[in-house]
Amino acid sequence: NAGVMQNPRHLVRRRGQEARLRCSPMKGHSHVYWYRQLPEEGLKFMVYLQKENIIDESGMPKERFSAEFPKEGPSILRIQQVVRGDSAAYFCASSPKAVGDTQYFGPGTRLTVL
Amino acid sequence: AQSVTQPDIHITVSEGASLELRCNYSYGATPYLFWYVQSPGQGLQLLLKYFSGDTLVQGIKGFEAEFKRSQSSFNLRKPSVHWSDAAEYFCAVGAEGYSTLTFGKGTMLLVSP
C-alpha cells in the first residue's frame, strides 16, 4: 500500500509567481490535511478537506492561499503571488476517517521563494 | 484550545544510553497523543499513539511512551539509543473527536559515538 504522495518534492518560485502543491492520499483515505512547517517550528495546521469539500480552513491565510480536493485526482494547495515568507515545508496527511483517526504524512514539498 | 510543549530543543545522548524526550500538553479533556519522527529532509513517521486504555504505549523501533494524566505529560522513552535514531521528534495532540493535530516545536536528538 503506497503511502501519501506529494509532488513536487522541491519547488522554487520567484516572488509573484504561483505555486501548486499536489497530494495524493493513501489508498482508501478520503480525508486530507495540509500543514506548514516554518524553519525551527513545529507543523501548523492549515486546512482539512474531504472529497469536494473544505471542512476546516481555520489555519489558512485569508489571502493568496486556496485548497481543493476534487472528486478525481489529487488534492491541490495553491499559493498565488508568492512572497519570501511563504518559503517553508508543506506537508500533506491523510486518514481513512476524520474523527480521532491517525493521520499519515507525506514526504513534504519544500517551497523556496527567491 | 489545546497546546503542546516540548521543553528541550536539542538533546545529545551517547549511543547505547537511554533516552527520554519530554512532552507536556494542555487540554481540558482526554487527549489523543502522538509521537512522530522526522529525519532530515523527510516527512513525518508515526512512532506511536495513545487514544485510551493502557497508559504505557509501545511503538515502532523500540520506542515507548507513558501517558500521565496528573502531569499532563506523554514522554517518549527508549532504553538504548542507536545512531540511526538521530532525528527530530514531534509530539502532537488531538482533541477528542479531533480532525486536526496541534504539534510541539520538536526536539532534535543528536547521538554521540
Side-chain angles (χ1 to χ4, degrees):
Chain A
N1 188 9
V4 178
M5 310 284 284
Q6 289 188 250
N7 68 80
R9 294 291 305 275
H10 300 273
L11 183 61
V12 179
R13 286 287 179 265
R14 297 190 181 279
R15 282 179 295 170
Q17 291 184 320
E18 179 179 285
R20 281 184 178 237
L21 289 62
R22 295 175 183 77
C23 169
S24 297
M26 288 178 70
K27 187 176 181 180
H29 290 195
S30 58
H31 300 265
V32 166
Y33 314 81
W34 285 93
Y35 292 81
R36 177 165 63 175
Q37 183 181 33
L38 295 169
E40 300 186 2
E41 294 282 330
L43 278 71
K44 302 289 187 186
F45 166 76
M46 298 180 74
V47 61
Y48 157 45
L49 310 102
Q50 295 179 28
K51 286 282 188 181
E52 300 184 279
N53 285 301
I54 296 174
I55 307 302
D56 181 353
E57 55 182 348
S58 59
M60 193 103 94
K62 297 288 185 249
E63 297 178 350
R64 302 187 297 108
F65 285 72
S66 62
E68 62 176 6
F69 189 16
K71 186 177 181 181
E72 301 291 337
S75 175
I76 307 285
L77 179 68
R78 183 181 176 202
I79 311 173
Q80 295 178 292
Q81 300 175 327
V82 296
V83 301
R84 289 216 173 110
D86 297 332
S87 295
Y90 292 82
F91 290 95
C92 168
S94 72
S95 68
K97 62 182 189 295
V99 177
D101 209 351
T102 302
Q103 296 179 15
Y104 295 89
F105 283 79
T109 294
R110 279 153 183 83
L111 172 66
T112 301
V113 179
L114 302 177
Chain B
Q2 59 266 33
S3 65
V4 177
T5 301
Q6 293 181 248
D8 305 303
I9 298 174
H10 298 97
I11 280 187
T12 300
V13 175
S14 298
E15 190 168 15
S18 64
L19 169 70
E20 182 169 29
L21 300 182
R22 295 184 290 166
C23 172
N24 293 97
Y25 68 89
S26 172
Y27 179 59
T30 300
Y32 292 58
L33 294 160
F34 305 81
W35 276 100
Y36 287 88
V37 60
Q38 184 181 30
S39 297
Q42 301 297 314
L44 277 73
Q45 181 181 22
L46 179 68
L47 284 176
L48 47 79
K49 60 187 179 185
Y50 171 79
F51 282 5
S52 64
D54 193 346
T55 57
L56 185 62
V57 180
Q58 301 298 320
I60 62 171
K61 303 184 180 184
F63 285 93
E64 67 177 26
E66 187 172 10
F67 171 55
K68 292 186 177 180
R69 184 188 301 275
S70 61
Q71 299 177 19
S72 297
S73 69
F74 188 57
N75 294 349
L76 182 71
R77 301 193 295 247
K78 186 171 184 177
S80 177
V81 168
H82 188 262
W83 64 266
S84 61
D85 293 324
E88 190 157 22
Y89 292 78
F90 291 95
C91 181
V93 63
E96 189 169 359
Y98 81 96
S99 58
T100 65
L101 294 174
T102 299
F103 283 83
K105 291 190 175 183
T107 297
M108 181 65 73
L109 172 64
L110 305 173
V111 180
S112 60

